[in-house]
Amino acid sequence: MNNEQSARLRLLPPVHEFVSDLLKNEEISSFYSSAAITWAVRNSLDKARGIILHTNHNLSGELNSKEKFWQYPTEEFSKEIRKWLVKEVISQLHRSGSTLRRVINATGVILHTNLGRAPLAPEVARFVGEQALAYNNVELDIETGSRGSRYGHVQDLLIELTGAEASLVVNNNAAAVLLIMNTFANQKEVIVSRGELVEVGGAFRIPEVLKTGGAKLVEVGATNKTWLRDYKEAVNSETAMILKVHTSNYRIEGFQHSVSLEELVQLGREFDIPVVEDLGSGSFLDGVEYGLPKEPTIQDAVKNGASLVTFSGDKLLGGPQAGIIVGKKELIEQLKKNQLMRALRVDKLTLAALAGTLQLYQRGEVLKIPVWAMLSKTNDALKEEANSLFALLDGSSSIRVWVEENFSCVGGGAFPTAVLPTFVCAVRPVKNSVVELERYLRSGDVPILARIERDKILLDPRTLLVNDFEEIVKKLKIWD
Ligand SMILES: *Cc1c(COP(=O)(O)O)cnc(C)c1O
């Protein structure tokens, strides 16, 4: 430690003194207890000490703009460090000790698994908040006062929206497939086309899930071609089920053939075996109306006779993480009796988020669901948003900005071949590198995730939410 460093360390305010200063600030003291403030002050002082001790040789060089307090001469240091500490304390209190925080998705990938997939509609989030703050009737029948069904709260909505006889909700779609395998195919055979043995990210592979559920996988056909006779030849007395997996995240183009759900249902009837379809990112809406390729809807799968259909809650549905199963009542009843259900069940907040989102479909307020609002943004709207971001950022000396045409994508393994034309705001740093700019955008309380394309950063307005524009501008304006 050199003299300058020890002088600065001595100028740091004592914990109790700084805490009592902050307690006089109503903006802070009316929201946080003195215990929380003390905790945040201790952390912030530790961080300041760390910066003072470790930025020794880089006095004017590579400091983050937030940490400039170190560069002030000792006379001004006292004042500057206090300003920095107030900001740091507020940001620590804001984060409430967790590493989990809101991020801005400027990547243009609508369903980004790393970024939590679907954001909820504001009114759905409000509904979840209300249920979170109180007790609710998750397992109570209000009418009779006796125990009710956890799943009854979304059952009517799911039946109305899909046309199925019954429904069940579990933790996620992987859990839905696992539960189905374990209930109906434990120690028995399940027939799946070789072209559908997919991996859907995070090491979730269809063959592994079948195995975990106790099922014996019987692969039929070839990677590119499977025919009805392949399935038929595989049926025997050990066959528990035919599983069709929607290969949502890749596509075989060209010389290929797969068997339709209707044909499989026909075959299933002949041999009295259930046909289950894992739709992955199932959708209630026909994507074609939104400029997307033709894909079967959940209602199609139900109508075409699948015994059970499974899909995710947080992909195209635009709700919370959940695995939804709809289909024949008799089979759903058997699923409910499986002991695994206790481990796979969803909590009241997930149910609230799902019920709220399903209600938006029921009322025809689909564009209130962020995923569908993003999917259906028009070219004109995207151009206007990119232009307004450009206008707000233009004139900064540290970056060069312009608008260009590019593509967004759906993500989450849905519509792999869909290209969604968009207009992006491109940003190129004047003196720093794009890597530095990208890292800077990712730093701080509200990280901004953007796409790097060679020597520029692209900000795609398609996935930006209302307050995001202001945050992006605020952050880029102070970059130098
Ligand atoms: C995404 C997906 C899953 C897994 O769904 P989660 O809800 O993430 O568990 C399973 N099957 C298919 C076909 C998928 O696309």
Side-chain angles (χ1 to χ4, degrees):
M1 200 186 340
N2 61 32
N3 285 342
E4 226 173 319
Q5 284 172 316
S6 43
R8 279 175 170 79
L9 286 180
R10 277 197 304 276
L11 287 171
L12 290 176
V15 176
H16 63 275
E17 184 195 308
F18 203 63
V19 169
S20 51
D21 275 2
L22 290 177
L23 282 170
K24 286 178 208 134
N25 179 341
E26 279 202 10
E27 260 179 71
I28 298 178
S29 61
S30 50
F31 289 106
Y32 301 103
S33 70
S34 66
I37 296 170
T38 308
W39 166 84
V41 167
R42 285 219 167 89
N43 277 350
S44 307
L45 282 166
D46 279 349
K47 188 168 170 185
R49 272 184 215 107
I51 293 168
I52 292 168
L53 290 172
H54 292 110
T55 45
N56 185 15
H57 10 259
N58 261 331
L59 259 184
S60 51
E62 297 161 19
L63 288 175
N64 187 315
S65 56
K66 261 175 77 188
E67 291 155 5
K68 285 211 183 91
F69 69 82
W70 165 245
Q71 296 173 39
Y72 289 94
T74 20
E75 313 82 69
E76 283 167 55
F77 180 80
S78 271
K79 204 169 92 224
E80 291 301 328
I81 184 66
R82 275 163 197 269
K83 275 200 243 164
W84 182 88
L85 280 169
V86 171
K87 270 199 200 153
E88 183 60 30
V89 165
I90 291 173
S91 116
Q92 296 233 3
L93 287 168
H94 225 67
R95 266 182 246 156
S96 60
S98 163
T99 53
L100 207 53
R101 65 195 66 160
R102 169 191 157 207
V103 306
I104 291 173
N105 178 9
T107 63
V109 181
I110 298 175
L111 297 167
H112 203 305
T113 300
N114 301 153
L115 306 183
R117 292 198 186 152
L120 295 179
E123 64 184 82
V124 173
R126 249 191 322 275
F127 181 60
V128 175
E130 280 165 25
Q131 310 288 311
L133 282 168
Y135 295 102
N136 78 355
N137 62 335
V138 65
E139 279 192 11
L140 179 79
D141 183 332
I142 305 257
E143 301 267 305
T144 63
S146 56
R147 185 168 182 171
S149 160
R150 177 174 292 262
Y151 306 100
H153 303 287
V154 287
Q155 167 122 311
D156 289 349
L157 281 162
L158 284 168
I159 288 175
E160 184 183 329
L161 291 166
T162 66
E165 292 172 11
S167 70
L168 187 59
V169 181
V170 288
N171 185 51
N172 56 14
N173 191 25
V177 177
L178 177 71
L179 178 69
I180 290 172
M181 290 306 141
N182 186 258
T183 308
F184 302 109
N186 198 0
Q187 309 304 318
K188 296 211 188 99
E189 295 181 1
V190 175
I191 307 174
V192 191
S193 159
R194 285 203 171 85
E196 297 174 3
L197 294 172
V198 291
E199 170 172 317
V200 287
F204 171 88
R205 289 193 174 138
I206 291 292
E208 311 300 324
V209 179
L210 263 62
K211 207 169 101 191
T212 308
K216 286 180 225 161
L217 169 66
V218 178
E219 303 174 26
V220 295
T223 305
N224 58 333
K225 286 199 176 196
T226 306
W227 302 92
L228 187 61
R229 63 168 186 274
D230 297 323
Y231 284 93
K232 196 165 179 172
E233 281 162 13
V235 175
N236 65 44
S237 61
E238 289 301 299
T239 309
M241 179 185 298
I242 296 173
L243 175 68
K244 185 162 177 63
V245 182
H246 188 62
T247 55
S248 49
N249 56 1
Y250 85 113
R251 181 132 313 161
I252 298 174
E253 305 273 356
F255 195 60
Q256 64 92 31
H257 184 266
S258 60
V259 184
S260 71
L261 177 65
E262 294 99 307
E263 290 173 282
L264 291 179
V265 167
Q266 213 44 53
L267 185 69
R269 288 214 181 105
E270 208 177 300
F271 292 95
D272 195 25
I273 35 181
V275 176
V276 173
E277 177 153 37
D278 170 9
L279 266 186
S281 176
S283 169
F284 295 129
L285 303 172
D286 184 352
V288 174
E289 286 173 33
Y290 297 82
L292 296 168
K294 177 84 193 147
E295 294 233 340
T297 61
I298 301 159
Q299 303 90 296
D300 288 339
V302 171
K303 199 171 71 210
N304 290 334
S307 312
L308 294 170
V309 182
T310 78
F311 49 98
S312 297
D314 54 355
K315 290 188 182 171
L316 279 177
L317 196 139
Q321 179 189 301
I324 301 162
I325 308 171
V326 297
K328 302 271 186 278
K329 192 166 195 292
E330 184 199 330
L331 300 182
I332 298 273
E333 286 310 313
Q334 278 177 263
L335 289 173
K336 283 184 184 166
K337 290 191 197 117
N338 189 325
Q339 280 302 313
L340 265 181
M341 246 337 272
R342 187 64 178 75
L344 303 179
R345 77 176 190 191
V346 285
D347 77 314
K348 62 173 181 175
L349 300 184
T350 300
L351 281 172
L354 184 59
T357 307
L358 293 174
Q359 217 163 70
L360 293 175
Y361 283 101
Q362 184 194 34
R363 296 193 210 133
E365 296 182 293
V366 174
L367 293 185
K368 280 192 176 171
I369 299 167
V371 167
W372 287 94
M374 290 170 184
L375 278 169
S376 51
K377 269 190 196 175
T378 63
N379 262 13
D380 285 348
L382 288 159
K383 192 173 186 178
E384 201 180 307
E385 288 184 7
N387 277 329
S388 68
L389 196 53
F390 163 79
L392 290 164
L393 292 173
D394 193 32
S396 165
S397 58
S398 56
I399 48 174
R400 218 167 68 64
V401 214
W402 67 97
V403 169
E404 62 178 48
E405 289 182 51
N406 209 293
F407 297 97
S408 322
C409 59
V410 183
F415 295 109
T417 53
V419 282
L420 305 169
T422 189
F423 287 88
V424 296
C425 188
V427 183
R428 179 176 294 154
V430 172
K431 51 179 205 281
N432 300 69
S433 70
V434 270
V435 175
E436 282 168 306
L437 175 57
E438 191 272 340
R439 194 188 306 140
Y440 168 71
L441 286 171
R442 244 187 313 112
S443 70
D445 282 347
V446 187
I448 298 166
L449 280 296
R451 231 157 64 213
I452 295 189
E453 200 170 87
R454 265 167 277 140
D455 53 352
K456 60 198 174 192
I457 293 243
L458 304 180
L459 303 167
D460 188 340
R462 188 183 293 275
T463 46
L464 295 179
L465 301 164
V466 220
N467 300 323
D468 293 350
F469 289 83
E470 198 187 322
E471 293 275 353
I472 292 174
V473 173
K474 214 165 73 187
K475 196 153 188 177
L476 277 172
K477 284 270 160 172
I478 59 164
W479 194 58
D480 51 31

